[in-house]
Amino acid sequence: GTDIGFWKNKASVSFDYFNYKMYDLLRQRGTASSIFGANYPSENIGENKYAGWEFNGNLSHDIGAVKFFVNLNLATVKNTLQYYDEPNRPYEWMMRTGRRSGQIFGLVADGFFKDAQDVINSPKIDGFAVVPGDIKYKDLNADGIINVFDEKALGTEKPELIYGATLSAGYKGLELTVIMKGVKNRDMLLSGQ
């Protein structure tokens, strides 16, 4: 990383790059079945890799009795499950290892059932009787049944881009501060009602 100051540190910028691996993370085994109905305890078997960069810029200045301050920040992070003790999965799209941490898995929507004929001609959803107007899903393994073998990575709960700004102005002890924050490439899983 680097830090640079200008005009007697009234303006400054910093930039950091990181690329590191964490290991011995607590995870439950996925390749072994439970013993007598109880799950295995968490073990130090997980590995994640994190890579990204951070930028931060500051500007502060006084004009008479008026003081102002501006801060801008931007960061990216990509985290990957390097090792995840998961069961053997029959299709690559079902694998968790090598994917992002916080990855959401589910069925891929493919429109809506239009009418009764569309219901008859489409793959059957395991354990669910569909009617026209219900969501239609993609049959990824082309076996004619929509089930857990058709689930794939849909998005991630962890944002890839984080940004923000702080704007502050003061006059004789009175100060006004505005803070703005945002994220990009973050998905949320909605469930229930």
Side-chain angles (χ1 to χ4, degrees):
T2 184
D3 297 312
I4 303 171
F6 304 95
W7 305 299
K8 297 181 182 177
N9 283 332
K10 289 184 178 180
S12 65
V13 294
S14 65
F15 180 82
D16 295 295
Y17 169 77
F18 57 92
N19 187 349
Y20 62 92
K21 186 175 183 178
M22 294 179 72
Y23 57 92
D24 288 343
L25 301 173
L26 281 175
R27 301 263 164 76
Q28 279 189 325
R29 290 199 179 274
T31 55
S33 61
S34 60
I35 302 174
F36 304 114
N39 291 329
Y40 281 101
S42 295
E43 300 176 55
N44 297 95
I45 58 173
E47 294 179 10
N48 281 14
K49 180 181 177 183
Y50 296 86
W53 52 265
E54 298 176 4
F55 169 81
N56 194 26
N58 295 302
L59 175 64
S60 61
H61 191 63
D62 299 346
I63 303 174
V66 178
K67 301 177 181 197
F68 70 89
F69 172 79
V70 177
N71 169 268
L72 302 173
N73 58 71
L74 181 67
T76 69
V77 62
K78 184 175 182 182
N79 54 13
T80 309
L81 293 170
Q82 296 290 297
Y83 177 73
Y84 180 73
D85 185 53
E86 61 184 315
N88 291 328
R89 301 186 194 270
Y91 305 105
E92 181 277 328
W93 62 78
M94 298 175 67
M95 299 295 290
R96 273 57 171 170
T97 303
R99 306 259 187 205
R100 295 189 62 196
S101 175
Q103 188 76 59
I104 299 169
F105 282 80
L107 299 172
V108 179
D110 193 24
F112 296 94
F113 288 102
K114 295 177 180 59
D115 52 34
Q117 192 62 41
D118 192 18
V119 171
I120 293 168
N121 295 336
S122 299
K124 307 301 173 226
I125 298 177
D126 193 20
F128 188 74
V130 299
V131 295
D134 285 342
I135 299 173
K136 186 189 295 190
Y137 297 101
K138 290 186 179 180
D139 185 12
L140 298 180
N141 63 355
D143 66 353
I145 300 170
I146 305 297
N147 56 20
V148 295
F149 299 114
D150 298 302
E151 292 181 358
K152 67 172 283 194
L154 298 177
T156 180
E157 295 175 337
K158 311 269 186 197
E160 284 184 5
L161 184 66
I162 303 163
Y163 52 90
T166 302
L167 310 172
S168 181
Y171 178 74
K172 294 186 178 181
L174 180 65
E175 185 175 303
L176 175 67
T177 301
V178 176
I179 300 172
M180 297 171 279
K181 296 181 181 182
V183 296
K184 186 173 184 206
N185 291 0
R186 178 176 186 256
D187 300 296
M188 296 181 68
L189 182 61
L190 301 177
S191 61
Q193 295 184 9

